Amino acid sequence: MRVRHLLQESRYWNVLKSARSITLCSCTSNCRSRANVRQTSRQFATTTAPQAIAAAEIDFQSQRIPDGEPPLKARIVPASPSYFTGKPDFTDNLLTLQALLRKYQTYPVVEPLDAPRTAWRTLAQYRLLVGEPVKAAKYHKIVQILHRLNQIYPSLMPDEVRKAMEPYKRATNPHANVARPRTIDGFGRAIGLGRRKTSSARVWLVEGDGEILVNGKSLTATFPRVHDRESAVWALKATDRIDKYNVWGLVEGGGLTGQAESLTLAVARALLVHEPLLKPSLRRAGCVTRNPKRVERKKPGKLKARKMPAWVKR
């Protein structure tokens, strides 16, 4: 009886009933029923079956429903092709951008460095937008397509592409912020600010013969180590300007190494006010970018930031 009940609920009941290749029994032993079910499943698994299990396509225009009969029932097809996926919004976004890329891939593009600088949403912001746990590798595919679409010539950019890229942009573009230009004061001085770890430095740079004072003392008296003295004036030394400018600096906080490296950044920024064309040379020398590295804090239960005490079995 259990086999009959299961087969009646199955969608293959009518096919099995017409084939008459299975014998249903009501006895308590299950061996005969299992053998018949196994034999029938092997028969329908072959490709030589006389009938196809899947239903034929329904032509709704040619169907005429007689009066008094219920209307024909049909499954509603979802509007989104990714309705049954685990991440439908992300899949729709990816498919839409891929379709746009295929449509406009023949448009002329500019070099990546000449493309408009655009800040896209971060992974956390995109997850909040779609409400789905999207992985970083998946979102990276969307960002790659956005970079490629952003390289289309601005004068030839289609409105469809511009509207499709708009939801992925940040609310505020940090690349649009323009730094306030620094100027030389009436005494011919240019000021530069620099930081490293917990040290901060202010430098006034003026044309001269190479005299350097840090906190009112000479460079040798301030930094006993040769490496720290070279770090403090590395921006002038890398550009061969060591004997063309006078430096007067004020440093505070941190140790000697942090103070010396904060002077490096401050001197480089003050030098760029006098000679802006030296920026490529200073960047190659590593004097333009601020070093964000700091000492990692000590954790409880550890000897230092990551050092663990020796493990003892007993």
Side-chain angles (χ1 to χ4, degrees):
M1 295 300 293
R2 182 180 180 183
V3 177
R4 178 185 295 275
H5 179 67
L6 293 175
L7 290 176
Q8 284 179 351
E9 291 184 353
S10 174
R11 60 176 179 174
Y12 303 124
W13 166 249
N14 294 330
V15 180
L16 297 177
K17 185 177 179 181
S18 61
R20 295 181 181 179
S21 60
I22 180 171
T23 304
L24 303 178
C25 65
S26 59
C27 61
T28 56
S29 61
N30 296 330
C31 58
R32 186 177 178 184
S33 300
R34 291 177 179 175
N36 292 332
V37 172
R38 192 179 301 113
Q39 179 182 1
T40 306
S41 63
R42 285 199 301 269
Q43 178 183 356
F44 283 95
T46 58
T47 57
T48 58
Q51 299 179 6
I53 297 178
E57 185 178 358
I58 300 176
D59 187 5
F60 291 96
Q61 296 181 357
S62 62
Q63 293 289 336
R64 295 182 179 179
I65 303 175
D67 297 338
E69 293 188 4
L72 186 63
K73 296 182 179 181
R75 180 178 64 86
I76 300 176
V77 179
S80 171
S82 57
Y83 177 79
F84 296 102
T85 62
K87 303 177 180 62
D89 292 341
F90 164 76
T91 308
D92 283 342
N93 294 340
L94 183 61
L95 293 177
T96 302
L97 293 177
Q98 287 176 347
L100 288 176
L101 183 59
R102 288 193 300 267
K103 184 177 180 180
Y104 300 106
Q105 63 182 351
T106 57
Y107 275 46
V109 297
V110 299
E111 294 295 331
L113 296 178
D114 298 335
R117 299 189 66 184
T118 306
W120 309 111
R121 291 178 182 267
T122 61
L123 178 60
Q125 293 174 347
Y126 181 75
R127 286 174 177 173
L128 292 176
L129 178 65
V130 298
E132 298 172 356
V134 182
K135 295 184 179 180
K138 299 290 186 180
Y139 183 59
H140 184 64
K141 296 181 180 180
I142 289 183
V143 175
Q144 283 183 327
I145 300 177
L146 291 174
H147 282 311
R148 174 59 180 81
L149 293 174
N150 194 41
Q151 294 179 14
I152 300 176
Y153 266 92
S155 58
L156 302 177
M157 179 76 69
D159 294 336
E160 183 182 7
V161 176
R162 188 177 288 106
K163 292 180 181 179
M165 293 192 303
E166 196 64 29
Y168 302 97
K169 296 180 180 179
R170 296 186 193 177
T172 57
N173 188 4
H175 303 300
N177 298 334
V178 180
R180 184 179 61 183
R182 296 189 177 274
T183 58
I184 302 175
D185 60 5
F187 299 98
R189 300 173 303 181
I191 187 174
L193 304 177
R195 292 181 177 86
R196 174 72 172 98
K197 296 183 181 178
T198 58
S199 304
S200 60
R202 288 177 296 170
V203 166
W204 287 266
L205 195 68
V206 64
E207 295 183 1
D209 54 358
E211 185 179 357
I212 300 174
L213 291 177
V214 179
N215 290 343
K217 298 183 293 184
S218 64
L219 192 63
T220 307
T222 306
F223 301 109
R225 295 179 59 213
V226 178
H227 179 74
D228 293 340
R229 292 198 294 265
E230 290 183 352
S231 298
V233 295
W234 176 245
L236 298 175
K237 190 174 182 180
T239 55
D240 294 334
R241 302 294 193 277
I242 194 68
D243 56 346
K244 296 183 180 179
Y245 292 95
N246 292 342
V247 179
W248 183 52
L250 295 176
V251 294
E252 58 183 1
L256 295 179
T257 302
Q259 292 180 356
E261 295 185 4
S262 64
L263 280 172
T264 305
L265 182 60
V267 171
R269 290 177 174 175
L271 183 59
L272 287 176
V273 178
H274 285 279
E275 302 182 48
L277 298 180
L278 292 178
K279 188 171 184 178
S281 301
L282 292 173
R283 185 174 294 280
R284 286 193 299 267
C287 302
V288 177
T289 306
R290 201 260 202 225
N291 193 342
K293 294 187 293 185
R294 300 176 68 92
V295 178
E296 189 174 351
R297 66 174 292 268
K298 182 187 178 301
K299 279 78 173 184
K302 297 185 179 181
L303 300 180
K304 295 196 299 183
R306 302 190 182 187
K307 184 179 180 181
M308 292 288 291
W311 179 78
V312 181
K313 186 174 183 180
R314 293 178 180 87

